[in-house]
Coordinates of all heavy atoms in Angstrom, one line a residue:
M1265 N 23.9 15.4 -11.4 CA 25.1 14.9 -10.8 C 24.9 13.5 -10.3 O 23.9 13.3 -9.5 CB 25.5 15.9 -9.7 CG 26.7 15.3 -9.0 SD 27.3 16.1 -7.4 CE 26.8 17.8 -7.5
H1266 N 25.8 12.6 -10.6 CA 25.7 11.2 -10.1 C 26.7 11.0 -9.0 O 27.9 11.3 -9.3 CB 25.9 10.3 -11.3 CG 25.9 8.9 -10.9 ND1 24.7 8.2 -10.5 CD2 26.9 7.9 -10.7 CE1 25.0 7.0 -10.2 NE2 26.3 6.8 -10.3
L1267 N 26.3 10.6 -7.9 CA 27.2 10.4 -6.8 C 27.5 8.9 -6.6 O 26.6 8.1 -6.6 CB 26.7 11.0 -5.5 CG 26.4 12.5 -5.5 CD1 25.7 12.9 -4.2 CD2 27.7 13.2 -5.7
E1268 N 28.7 8.6 -6.4 CA 29.1 7.2 -6.2 C 29.2 6.9 -4.7 O 29.5 7.8 -3.9 CB 30.5 6.9 -6.8 CG 30.5 7.0 -8.3 CD 29.7 5.9 -9.0 OE1 29.7 4.8 -8.5 OE2 29.1 6.2 -10.0
P1269 N 29.0 5.7 -4.2 CA 29.2 5.4 -2.8 C 30.6 5.6 -2.4 O 31.5 5.5 -3.3 CB 28.8 3.9 -2.7 CG 28.2 3.5 -4.0 CD 28.5 4.5 -5.0
R1270 N 30.8 5.9 -1.2 CA 32.2 6.0 -0.7 C 32.9 4.6 -0.8 O 32.3 3.6 -0.8 CB 32.2 6.3 0.8 CG 31.8 7.7 1.1 CD 31.8 8.0 2.6 NE 30.8 7.1 3.2 CZ 30.2 7.3 4.3 NH1 30.5 8.3 5.0 NH2 29.3 6.5 4.8
P1271 N 34.2 4.7 -1.1 CA 35.0 3.4 -1.2 C 34.8 2.6 0.1 O 34.8 3.1 1.2 CB 36.4 3.9 -1.3 CG 36.4 5.3 -1.8 CD 35.1 5.9 -1.2
G1272 N 34.6 1.3 -0.2 CA 34.4 0.4 1.0 C 33.0 0.3 1.5 O 32.7 -0.5 2.4
T1273 N 32.1 1.1 0.9 CA 30.7 1.0 1.3 C 29.8 0.5 0.1 O 30.2 0.9 -1.0 CB 30.1 2.3 1.8 OG1 30.1 3.3 0.7 CG2 30.9 2.8 3.0
A1274 N 28.8 -0.2 0.3 CA 27.9 -0.6 -0.7 C 26.6 0.2 -0.6 O 26.2 0.5 0.5 CB 27.6 -2.1 -0.6
G1275 N 26.0 0.4 -1.7 CA 24.7 1.0 -1.7 C 23.7 0.0 -1.2 O 24.0 -1.1 -0.9
P1276 N 22.4 0.4 -1.2 CA 21.4 -0.5 -0.7 C 21.3 -1.7 -1.7 O 21.4 -1.5 -2.9 CB 20.1 0.3 -0.8 CG 20.4 1.6 -1.5 CD 21.9 1.7 -1.5
G1277 N 21.1 -2.8 -1.1 CA 21.0 -4.0 -2.0 C 19.7 -4.0 -2.8 O 18.8 -3.3 -2.4
P1278 N 19.6 -4.9 -3.8 CA 18.4 -4.9 -4.6 C 17.2 -5.3 -3.8 O 16.1 -4.8 -4.1 CB 18.7 -6.0 -5.7 CG 20.0 -6.6 -5.3 CD 20.6 -5.8 -4.2
H1279 N 17.3 -6.2 -2.8 CA 16.1 -6.6 -2.0 C 15.6 -5.4 -1.2 O 14.4 -5.2 -1.1 CB 16.4 -7.7 -1.1 CG 15.2 -8.4 -0.6 ND1 14.4 -9.2 -1.4 CD2 14.6 -8.4 0.6 CE1 13.3 -9.6 -0.7 NE2 13.4 -9.1 0.5
L1280 N 16.5 -4.5 -0.7 CA 16.0 -3.3 0.1 C 15.3 -2.4 -0.9 O 14.2 -1.8 -0.5 CB 17.2 -2.6 0.8 CG 17.8 -3.3 1.9 CD1 19.0 -2.5 2.5 CD2 16.8 -3.6 3.0
R1281 N 15.8 -2.2 -2.1 CA 15.1 -1.4 -3.1 C 13.7 -2.0 -3.4 O 12.7 -1.3 -3.5 CB 15.9 -1.2 -4.3 CG 17.0 -0.2 -4.1 CD 17.7 0.1 -5.5 NE 18.4 -1.0 -6.1 CZ 19.6 -1.4 -5.8 NH1 20.3 -0.7 -4.9 NH2 20.2 -2.4 -6.4
E1282 N 13.6 -3.3 -3.6 CA 12.3 -4.0 -3.9 C 11.4 -3.8 -2.7 O 10.2 -3.5 -3.0 CB 12.6 -5.5 -4.1 CG 13.3 -5.8 -5.4 CD 13.6 -7.2 -5.6 OE1 13.1 -8.1 -4.8 OE2 14.4 -7.5 -6.4
L1283 N 11.8 -3.9 -1.5 CA 11.0 -3.7 -0.3 C 10.5 -2.3 -0.3 O 9.3 -2.0 0.0 CB 11.7 -4.0 1.0 CG 12.0 -5.5 1.3 CD1 12.8 -5.6 2.5 CD2 10.7 -6.3 1.4
K1284 N 11.3 -1.3 -0.6 CA 10.9 0.1 -0.6 C 9.8 0.3 -1.6 O 8.8 1.0 -1.3 CB 12.2 0.9 -0.9 CG 11.9 2.4 -0.9 CD 13.3 3.1 -1.1 CE 13.1 4.6 -1.3 NZ 14.3 5.3 -1.5
D1285 N 10.0 -0.2 -2.8 CA 9.0 -0.1 -3.9 C 7.7 -0.7 -3.5 O 6.6 -0.2 -3.7 CB 9.5 -0.7 -5.2 CG 10.7 0.1 -5.8 OD1 10.9 1.3 -5.4 OD2 11.4 -0.4 -6.7
A1286 N 7.8 -1.9 -2.8 CA 6.6 -2.6 -2.4 C 5.8 -1.8 -1.3 O 4.6 -1.7 -1.4 CB 6.9 -4.0 -1.9
V1287 N 6.6 -1.2 -0.4 CA 5.9 -0.3 0.7 C 5.2 0.8 0.0 O 4.1 1.1 0.3 CB 7.0 0.2 1.7 CG1 6.4 1.3 2.6 CG2 7.5 -1.0 2.5
R1288 N 5.9 1.5 -0.9 CA 5.3 2.6 -1.6 C 4.0 2.2 -2.3 O 3.0 2.9 -2.2 CB 6.3 3.2 -2.6 CG 5.8 4.5 -3.2 CD 6.9 5.2 -4.1 NE 8.1 5.6 -3.3 CZ 8.1 6.6 -2.5 NH1 7.0 7.4 -2.4 NH2 9.2 6.9 -1.8
A1289 N 4.0 1.1 -3.0 CA 2.8 0.6 -3.7 C 1.7 0.2 -2.8 O 0.6 0.6 -3.0 CB 3.2 -0.5 -4.7
L1290 N 2.1 -0.6 -1.7 CA 1.0 -1.0 -0.8 C 0.3 0.1 -0.1 O -0.9 0.1 0.1 CB 1.7 -1.9 0.3 CG 2.0 -3.3 -0.1 CD1 2.8 -4.0 0.9 CD2 0.7 -4.1 -0.4
L1291 N 1.1 1.2 0.2 CA 0.5 2.3 1.0 C 0.0 3.4 0.1 O -0.6 4.4 0.5 CB 1.5 2.8 2.0 CG 1.9 1.9 3.1 CD1 2.9 2.5 4.0 CD2 0.7 1.4 3.9
G1292 N 0.2 3.2 -1.3 CA -0.2 4.3 -2.2 C 0.4 5.6 -2.0 O -0.3 6.6 -2.0
L1293 N 1.7 5.6 -1.7 CA 2.4 6.8 -1.4 C 2.8 7.6 -2.6 O 3.2 7.0 -3.6 CB 3.6 6.5 -0.5 CG 3.4 5.7 0.8 CD1 4.7 5.3 1.4 CD2 2.5 6.6 1.7
D1294 N 2.8 8.9 -2.5 CA 3.3 9.8 -3.6 C 4.8 9.9 -3.5 O 5.5 9.4 -2.6 CB 2.7 11.2 -3.5 CG 3.0 11.9 -2.3 OD1 4.0 11.7 -1.6 OD2 2.1 12.8 -1.9
N1295 N 5.4 10.5 -4.6 CA 6.9 10.6 -4.6 C 7.5 11.6 -3.6 O 8.7 11.6 -3.4 CB 7.3 11.0 -6.1 CG 7.1 9.9 -7.0 OD1 7.1 8.7 -6.7 ND2 6.8 10.2 -8.3
D1296 N 6.6 12.4 -3.0 CA 7.1 13.4 -2.0 C 7.3 12.7 -0.6 O 7.8 13.4 0.3 CB 6.2 14.6 -1.9 CG 6.3 15.5 -3.1 OD1 7.3 15.5 -3.8 OD2 5.3 16.2 -3.4
T1297 N 6.8 11.5 -0.5 CA 6.9 10.8 0.8 C 8.1 9.9 0.8 O 8.2 9.1 -0.1 CB 5.6 10.0 1.0 OG1 4.5 10.9 1.1 CG2 5.7 9.2 2.4
A1298 N 8.9 10.1 1.8 CA 10.2 9.3 1.9 C 9.8 7.9 2.5 O 9.0 7.8 3.4 CB 11.2 10.0 2.8
V1299 N 10.4 6.9 1.9 CA 10.3 5.5 2.4 C 11.7 5.1 2.6 O 12.5 5.1 1.8 CB 9.6 4.6 1.3 CG1 9.6 3.2 1.9 CG2 8.2 5.1 1.0
I1300 N 11.9 4.7 3.9 CA 13.2 4.2 4.3 C 13.1 2.8 4.8 O 12.3 2.5 5.6 CB 13.8 5.1 5.4 CG1 13.8 6.6 5.0 CG2 15.1 4.7 5.9 CD1 13.8 7.6 6.1
V1301 N 14.0 1.9 4.2 CA 14.0 0.5 4.7 C 15.5 0.2 5.0 O 16.4 0.4 4.2 CB 13.6 -0.4 3.5 CG1 13.7 -1.9 4.0 CG2 12.1 -0.1 3.1
R1302 N 15.7 -0.2 6.2 CA 17.1 -0.4 6.7 C 17.1 -1.8 7.5 O 16.1 -2.1 8.2 CB 17.6 0.7 7.7 CG 17.7 2.0 7.0 CD 18.9 2.0 6.1 NE 19.1 3.2 5.4 CZ 18.8 3.5 4.2 NH1 18.2 2.6 3.4 NH2 19.0 4.7 3.7
Q1303 N 18.1 -2.5 7.3 CA 18.4 -3.7 8.1 C 19.4 -3.4 9.1 O 20.4 -2.8 8.8 CB 18.9 -4.8 7.1 CG 19.1 -6.1 7.8 CD 19.5 -7.2 6.8 OE1 18.6 -7.9 6.3 NE2 20.8 -7.3 6.5
L1304 N 19.1 -3.7 10.4 CA 19.9 -3.4 11.5 C 20.3 -4.6 12.3 O 19.5 -5.5 12.5 CB 19.2 -2.3 12.4 CG 18.8 -1.1 11.7 CD1 17.9 -0.2 12.7 CD2 19.9 -0.3 11.2
A1305 N 21.5 -4.6 12.9 CA 21.9 -5.6 13.8 C 21.2 -5.2 15.2 O 21.2 -4.1 15.6 CB 23.4 -5.6 13.9
C1306 N 20.7 -6.3 15.8 CA 20.1 -6.0 17.1 C 20.9 -6.8 18.2 O 21.2 -8.0 18.0 CB 18.7 -6.6 17.1 SG 17.8 -6.2 18.7
S1307 N 21.3 -6.1 19.2 CA 22.2 -6.7 20.3 C 21.5 -6.9 21.6 O 22.1 -7.4 22.6 CB 23.4 -5.9 20.5 OG 23.1 -4.6 20.9
E1308 N 20.2 -6.6 21.6 CA 19.4 -6.7 22.9 C 19.0 -8.2 23.1 O 18.8 -8.9 22.2 CB 18.2 -5.9 22.8 CG 18.5 -4.4 22.7 CD 17.3 -3.5 22.9 OE1 16.3 -4.0 23.5 OE2 17.3 -2.4 22.5
P1309 N 19.0 -8.6 24.4 CA 18.6 -10.0 24.7 C 17.2 -10.4 24.1 O 16.3 -9.6 24.2 CB 18.6 -10.0 26.2 CG 19.3 -8.9 26.7 CD 19.2 -7.8 25.6
G1310 N 17.2 -11.6 23.5 CA 15.9 -12.0 22.9 C 15.6 -11.5 21.6 O 14.6 -11.8 21.0
C1311 N 16.4 -10.6 21.1 CA 16.2 -10.0 19.8 C 16.9 -10.8 18.7 O 18.0 -11.3 18.9 CB 16.8 -8.6 19.8 SG 16.5 -7.6 18.3
P1312 N 16.3 -11.0 17.5 CA 17.0 -11.7 16.4 C 18.2 -10.9 16.0 O 18.3 -9.7 16.2 CB 16.0 -11.7 15.3 CG 15.0 -10.6 15.6 CD 15.0 -10.4 17.1
P1313 N 19.2 -11.6 15.5 CA 20.5 -10.9 15.1 C 20.2 -9.7 14.1 O 20.9 -8.7 14.2 CB 21.3 -12.0 14.5 CG 20.6 -13.3 14.7 CD 19.2 -13.0 15.2
L1314 N 19.3 -9.9 13.2 CA 19.0 -8.8 12.2 C 17.5 -8.5 12.2 O 16.7 -9.4 12.3 CB 19.4 -9.2 10.8 CG 20.9 -9.4 10.5 CD1 21.1 -10.0 9.1 CD2 21.6 -8.1 10.7
E1315 N 17.2 -7.2 12.2 CA 15.8 -6.8 12.0 C 15.7 -5.8 10.9 O 16.7 -5.2 10.6 CB 15.2 -6.3 13.4 CG 16.0 -5.1 13.9 CD 15.5 -4.6 15.2 OE1 14.9 -5.4 16.0 OE2 15.7 -3.5 15.6
T1316 N 14.5 -5.6 10.4 CA 14.3 -4.6 9.3 C 13.4 -3.6 9.8 O 12.3 -3.9 10.3 CB 13.8 -5.4 8.0 OG1 14.7 -6.4 7.7 CG2 13.7 -4.4 6.9
I1317 N 13.8 -2.3 9.6 CA 13.0 -1.2 10.0 C 12.4 -0.6 8.7 O 13.1 -0.3 7.7 CB 13.8 -0.1 10.7 CG1 14.5 -0.7 11.9 CG2 12.9 1.1 11.1 CD1 13.7 -1.3 13.0
V1318 N 11.1 -0.3 8.7 CA 10.5 0.4 7.6 C 9.9 1.7 8.2 O 9.2 1.7 9.2 CB 9.3 -0.4 7.0 CG1 8.6 0.4 5.9 CG2 9.8 -1.7 6.4
A1319 N 10.3 2.8 7.5 CA 9.8 4.2 8.0 C 9.2 4.9 6.8 O 9.7 4.8 5.7 CB 10.9 5.0 8.6
V1320 N 8.1 5.6 7.1 CA 7.4 6.4 6.1 C 7.4 7.8 6.6 O 6.9 8.0 7.7 CB 6.0 5.9 5.8 CG1 5.2 6.8 4.9 CG2 6.0 4.5 5.1
V1321 N 8.0 8.7 5.9 CA 8.1 10.1 6.3 C 7.5 11.0 5.3 O 8.2 11.3 4.3 CB 9.6 10.5 6.6 CG1 9.7 11.9 7.2 CG2 10.2 9.4 7.5
P1322 N 6.3 11.5 5.5 CA 5.7 12.4 4.5 C 6.3 13.8 4.7 O 6.9 14.2 5.7 CB 4.2 12.4 4.9 CG 4.2 12.0 6.4 CD 5.4 11.2 6.6
M1323 N 6.1 14.6 3.6 CA 6.5 16.0 3.7 C 5.8 16.8 4.8 O 6.4 17.6 5.5 CB 6.3 16.7 2.3 CG 7.1 16.2 1.2 SD 8.9 16.7 1.4 CE 8.8 18.4 1.0
E1324 N 4.6 16.5 5.0 CA 3.8 17.1 6.1 C 3.1 16.0 6.8 O 2.7 15.0 6.3 CB 2.8 18.1 5.5 CG 3.4 19.3 4.9 CD 2.3 20.3 4.4 OE1 1.2 20.2 4.9 OE2 2.7 21.0 3.5
G1325 N 3.0 16.1 8.1 CA 2.3 15.1 8.9 C 3.3 14.2 9.7 O 4.5 14.5 9.7
E1326 N 2.7 13.2 10.3 CA 3.5 12.3 11.2 C 4.3 11.3 10.4 O 3.8 10.7 9.4 CB 2.6 11.6 12.2 CG 1.8 12.6 13.1 CD 2.7 13.2 14.1 OE1 3.7 12.6 14.6 OE2 2.4 14.4 14.5
A1327 N 5.5 10.9 10.9 CA 6.2 9.8 10.4 C 5.7 8.5 11.0 O 5.1 8.6 12.1 CB 7.7 10.0 10.7
H1328 N 5.9 7.4 10.4 CA 5.4 6.1 10.9 C 6.6 5.1 10.7 O 7.3 5.2 9.8 CB 4.2 5.6 10.2 CG 3.0 6.6 10.3 ND1 2.1 6.4 11.3 CD2 2.7 7.7 9.6 CE1 1.2 7.4 11.2 NE2 1.5 8.2 10.2
R1329 N 6.7 4.2 11.7 CA 7.7 3.2 11.7 C 7.2 1.9 12.0 O 6.4 1.7 12.9 CB 8.8 3.6 12.6 CG 10.0 2.7 12.7 CD 11.1 3.1 13.7 NE 10.6 3.3 15.0 CZ 10.5 2.4 16.0 NH1 10.8 1.1 15.7 NH2 10.0 2.7 17.2
W1330 N 7.7 0.8 11.4 CA 7.4 -0.6 11.7 C 8.7 -1.3 11.8 O 9.6 -1.0 11.1 CB 6.6 -1.2 10.5 CG 5.2 -0.5 10.3 CD1 4.0 -0.9 10.9 CD2 4.9 0.6 9.5 NE1 3.0 -0.1 10.4 CE2 3.6 0.9 9.6 CE3 5.7 1.4 8.6 CZ2 2.9 1.9 8.9 CZ3 5.1 2.4 8.0 CH2 3.7 2.7 8.1
T1331 N 8.7 -2.3 12.6 CA 9.9 -3.2 12.8 C 9.5 -4.6 12.5 O 8.5 -5.1 13.0 CB 10.4 -3.1 14.3 OG1 10.7 -1.8 14.6 CG2 11.6 -4.0 14.4
L1332 N 10.2 -5.2 11.6 CA 10.0 -6.6 11.2 C 11.2 -7.4 11.7 O 12.3 -7.1 11.4 CB 9.9 -6.8 9.7 CG 8.6 -6.1 9.1 CD1 8.9 -4.7 8.6 CD2 8.0 -7.0 8.0
L1333 N 10.9 -8.4 12.6 CA 12.0 -9.1 13.3 C 12.6 -10.2 12.5 O 12.6 -11.3 12.9 CB 11.5 -9.6 14.6 CG 11.0 -8.5 15.6 CD1 10.4 -9.1 16.8 CD2 12.1 -7.5 15.9
R1334 N 13.1 -9.8 11.3 CA 13.8 -10.8 10.5 C 14.7 -10.0 9.5 O 14.4 -8.8 9.2 CB 12.9 -11.7 9.8 CG 11.9 -11.0 8.8 CD 10.9 -12.0 8.3 NE 10.0 -12.3 9.4 CZ 8.9 -13.0 9.2 NH1 8.5 -13.4 8.1 NH2 8.1 -13.2 10.3
P1335 N 15.6 -10.7 8.9 CA 16.5 -10.0 7.8 C 15.6 -9.6 6.6 O 14.6 -10.2 6.3 CB 17.5 -11.0 7.4 CG 17.5 -12.1 8.5 CD 16.1 -12.0 9.1
A1336 N 16.1 -8.5 6.0 CA 15.3 -8.0 4.8 C 15.1 -9.0 3.7 O 14.1 -9.1 3.1 CB 16.0 -6.7 4.3
D1337 N 16.1 -9.9 3.5 CA 16.0 -10.8 2.4 C 15.0 -11.9 2.7 O 14.7 -12.8 1.8 CB 17.4 -11.4 2.0 CG 18.1 -12.2 3.1 OD1 17.6 -12.2 4.2 OD2 19.1 -12.7 2.8
Q1338 N 14.5 -12.0 3.9 CA 13.5 -13.0 4.3 C 12.1 -12.4 4.3 O 11.1 -13.1 4.6 CB 13.8 -13.6 5.6 CG 15.1 -14.4 5.6 CD 15.4 -15.0 7.0 OE1 14.5 -15.0 7.9 NE2 16.5 -15.6 7.1
I1339 N 11.9 -11.1 4.0 CA 10.6 -10.5 4.1 C 10.0 -10.5 2.7 O 10.6 -10.2 1.7 CB 10.8 -9.0 4.6 CG1 11.3 -9.0 6.0 CG2 9.5 -8.2 4.5 CD1 11.7 -7.6 6.5
T1340 N 8.7 -11.0 2.8 CA 7.9 -11.1 1.5 C 6.9 -10.0 1.5 O 6.7 -9.3 2.4 CB 7.2 -12.4 1.5 OG1 6.2 -12.4 2.5 CG2 8.1 -13.6 1.7
E1341 N 6.3 -9.8 0.3 CA 5.2 -8.8 0.2 C 4.1 -9.1 1.1 O 3.5 -8.2 1.6 CB 4.8 -8.7 -1.3 CG 3.8 -7.6 -1.5 CD 3.5 -7.3 -3.0 OE1 4.3 -7.7 -3.8 OE2 2.4 -6.7 -3.2
N1342 N 3.8 -10.4 1.3 CA 2.7 -10.8 2.3 C 3.1 -10.4 3.7 O 2.2 -10.0 4.4 CB 2.5 -12.3 2.2 CG 1.7 -12.7 1.0 OD1 1.0 -11.9 0.3 ND2 1.9 -14.0 0.6
D1343 N 4.4 -10.4 4.1 CA 4.8 -9.9 5.4 C 4.5 -8.4 5.5 O 4.0 -8.0 6.5 CB 6.3 -10.2 5.6 CG 6.6 -11.7 5.7 OD1 5.8 -12.5 6.2 OD2 7.8 -12.0 5.4
L1344 N 4.9 -7.7 4.4 CA 4.7 -6.3 4.4 C 3.2 -6.0 4.5 O 2.7 -5.1 5.3 CB 5.2 -5.6 3.2 CG 6.8 -5.5 3.1 CD1 7.2 -5.0 1.8 CD2 7.3 -4.7 4.2
R1345 N 2.4 -6.7 3.7 CA 0.9 -6.5 3.7 C 0.4 -6.7 5.1 O -0.4 -5.9 5.6 CB 0.3 -7.4 2.7 CG -1.2 -7.2 2.4 CD -1.7 -8.1 1.4 NE -0.9 -8.2 0.2 CZ -0.9 -7.4 -0.8 NH1 -1.7 -6.3 -0.8 NH2 -0.1 -7.5 -1.9
A1346 N 0.8 -7.8 5.8 CA 0.2 -8.1 7.1 C 0.7 -7.1 8.2 O -0.1 -6.8 9.1 CB 0.7 -9.5 7.5
T1347 N 1.8 -6.5 8.0 CA 2.4 -5.6 9.0 C 1.9 -4.1 8.7 O 1.4 -3.5 9.7 CB 3.9 -5.6 9.0 OG1 4.3 -6.9 9.3 CG2 4.5 -4.7 10.0
L1348 N 2.0 -3.7 7.5 CA 1.7 -2.3 7.2 C 0.2 -2.0 7.0 O -0.3 -0.9 7.5 CB 2.4 -1.9 5.9 CG 3.9 -1.4 6.1 CD1 4.8 -2.5 6.7 CD2 4.5 -0.9 4.8
L1349 N -0.5 -2.8 6.3 CA -1.9 -2.4 5.9 C -2.8 -2.3 7.1 O -3.6 -1.4 7.1 CB -2.5 -3.4 4.9 CG -1.8 -3.3 3.5 CD1 -2.5 -4.3 2.6 CD2 -1.8 -1.9 3.0
P1350 N -2.7 -3.1 8.2 CA -3.6 -2.9 9.3 C -3.3 -1.6 10.1 O -4.2 -1.1 10.8 CB -3.4 -4.1 10.2 CG -2.8 -5.1 9.4 CD -2.0 -4.4 8.3
H1351 N -2.2 -1.0 9.8 CA -1.8 0.2 10.6 C -1.3 1.3 9.6 O -0.3 1.9 9.9 CB -0.7 -0.2 11.6 CG -1.1 -1.3 12.5 ND1 -2.0 -1.2 13.5 CD2 -0.8 -2.6 12.4 CE1 -2.2 -2.4 14.1 NE2 -1.4 -3.3 13.4
R1352 N -2.0 1.4 8.6 CA -1.6 2.4 7.6 C -1.6 3.8 8.2 O -2.5 4.2 8.9 CB -2.5 2.4 6.4 CG -2.2 1.4 5.4 CD -3.1 1.7 4.2 NE -4.4 1.2 4.5 CZ -5.2 0.7 3.6 NH1 -4.9 0.7 2.3 NH2 -6.4 0.3 3.9
P1353 N -0.7 4.7 7.7 CA -0.8 6.1 8.1 C -2.1 6.7 7.6 O -2.6 6.3 6.6 CB 0.5 6.8 7.4 CG 1.4 5.6 7.1 CD 0.5 4.4 7.0
N1354 N -2.6 7.7 8.3 CA -3.8 8.4 7.9 C -5.1 7.6 8.0 O -6.0 8.0 7.4 CB -3.6 9.0 6.5 CG -2.4 9.9 6.4 OD1 -2.1 10.7 7.4 ND2 -1.7 9.9 5.3
R1355 N -5.1 6.5 8.7 CA -6.3 5.8 8.9 C -7.0 6.4 10.1 O -6.3 6.5 11.2 CB -6.1 4.3 9.1 CG -5.9 3.7 7.7 CD -5.8 2.2 7.8 NE -6.8 1.6 8.6 CZ -7.0 0.3 8.7 NH1 -6.3 -0.5 8.0 NH2 -8.0 -0.2 9.5
P1356 N -8.2 6.8 10.1 CA -8.9 7.5 11.2 C -8.8 6.7 12.5 O -8.7 7.3 13.6 CB -10.3 7.7 10.8 CG -10.4 7.3 9.3 CD -9.1 6.6 9.0
E1357 N -8.9 5.4 12.5 CA -8.9 4.6 13.8 C -7.5 4.6 14.4 O -7.4 4.0 15.5 CB -9.5 3.3 13.6 CG -8.7 2.3 12.7 CD -9.1 2.5 11.2 OE1 -9.7 3.4 10.8 OE2 -8.7 1.6 10.4
Q1358 N -6.5 5.0 13.8 CA -5.2 4.9 14.4 C -4.7 6.3 14.9 O -4.9 7.3 14.1 CB -4.1 4.5 13.3 CG -4.4 3.1 12.8 CD -4.2 2.1 14.0 OE1 -3.4 2.2 14.9 NE2 -5.0 1.0 13.9
P1359 N -4.2 6.4 16.0 CA -3.7 7.7 16.5 C -2.5 8.2 15.7 O -1.8 7.4 15.2 CB -3.3 7.5 18.0 CG -3.1 6.0 18.0 CD -3.9 5.4 17.0
N1360 N -2.3 9.5 15.6 CA -1.1 10.1 14.9 C 0.1 9.6 15.6 O 0.2 9.4 16.8 CB -1.2 11.6 15.0 CG -2.2 12.1 14.0 OD1 -2.5 11.5 13.0 ND2 -2.6 13.3 14.3
G1361 N 1.1 9.3 14.8 CA 2.4 8.9 15.3 C 2.4 7.4 15.7 O 3.4 7.0 16.4
F1362 N 1.4 6.6 15.3 CA 1.4 5.2 15.7 C 2.6 4.5 15.2 O 3.0 4.6 14.0 CB 0.1 4.6 15.1 CG 0.0 3.1 15.4 CD1 -0.4 2.7 16.6 CD2 0.3 2.2 14.4 CE1 -0.5 1.3 16.9 CE2 0.3 0.9 14.6 CZ -0.1 0.4 15.9
L1363 N 3.2 3.8 16.0 CA 4.3 2.9 15.6 C 3.8 1.5 15.5 O 3.3 0.9 16.4 CB 5.5 2.9 16.7 CG 6.1 4.3 16.9 CD1 7.2 4.2 17.9 CD2 6.6 4.8 15.6
G1364 N 3.8 1.0 14.3 CA 3.2 -0.3 14.0 C 3.8 -1.5 14.8 O 4.9 -1.3 15.4
P1365 N 3.2 -2.6 14.7 CA 3.7 -3.8 15.4 C 4.9 -4.4 14.8 O 5.3 -4.0 13.7 CB 2.5 -4.7 15.3 CG 1.9 -4.4 13.9 CD 2.1 -2.9 13.8
T1366 N 5.5 -5.3 15.6 CA 6.6 -6.0 15.1 C 6.1 -7.3 14.4 O 5.0 -7.8 14.7 CB 7.6 -6.4 16.2 OG1 6.9 -7.1 17.2 CG2 8.2 -5.1 16.8
L1367 N 6.9 -7.8 13.5 CA 6.5 -9.1 12.9 C 7.7 -10.0 12.9 O 8.8 -9.6 12.7 CB 6.1 -8.8 11.4 CG 5.8 -10.1 10.6 CD1 4.6 -10.8 11.1 CD2 5.7 -9.7 9.1

């Protein structure tokens, strides 16, 4: 069954899909692990107008989340590499549930 987006809503943009694919490849994730990439408006003082959240949610185990303090269309693979790789899920030196740094 193919589902269409609700009228007036757009599906994820091509850049969000590219970021999701890049996260999956960088972290070597299987197809059972959910990768969520969302661009959100931030209204807190000192926060950029748009930030991008990356979440990795495995079928079993802890979920992990990273915040990149820029719009999704400005994030490069090098940005993802610098943010995600030092704090990969399942690395022994990181505590479970670690929330990665902001970039």
Side-chain angles (χ1 to χ4, degrees):
M1265 173 188 336
H1266 178 71
L1267 299 175
E1268 296 292 326
R1270 290 180 295 205
T1273 63
H1279 196 72
L1280 291 179
R1281 283 191 294 274
E1282 290 172 14
L1283 288 175
K1284 182 177 173 178
D1285 291 343
V1287 167
R1288 186 173 297 285
L1290 283 171
L1291 297 178
L1293 301 174
D1294 61 28
N1295 289 332
D1296 290 335
T1297 300
V1299 176
I1300 303 160
V1301 179
R1302 295 289 181 257
Q1303 181 174 270
L1304 303 173
C1306 184
S1307 60
E1308 296 189 23
C1311 185
L1314 292 174
E1315 61 186 21
T1316 303
I1317 307 298
V1318 175
V1320 172
V1321 184
M1323 291 292 285
E1324 294 182 20
E1326 298 289 327
H1328 299 269
R1329 179 180 57 88
W1330 297 268
T1331 301
L1332 292 94
L1333 299 177
R1334 63 185 72 170
D1337 64 354
Q1338 294 179 10
I1339 296 172
T1340 66
E1341 187 170 337
N1342 285 336
D1343 294 331
L1344 289 176
R1345 188 178 312 279
T1347 302
L1348 276 60
L1349 291 183
H1351 306 285
R1352 275 189 286 210
N1354 301 322
R1355 282 186 45 173
E1357 65 271 16
Q1358 296 296 328
N1360 286 336
F1362 177 78
L1363 299 180
T1366 57
L1367 175 68

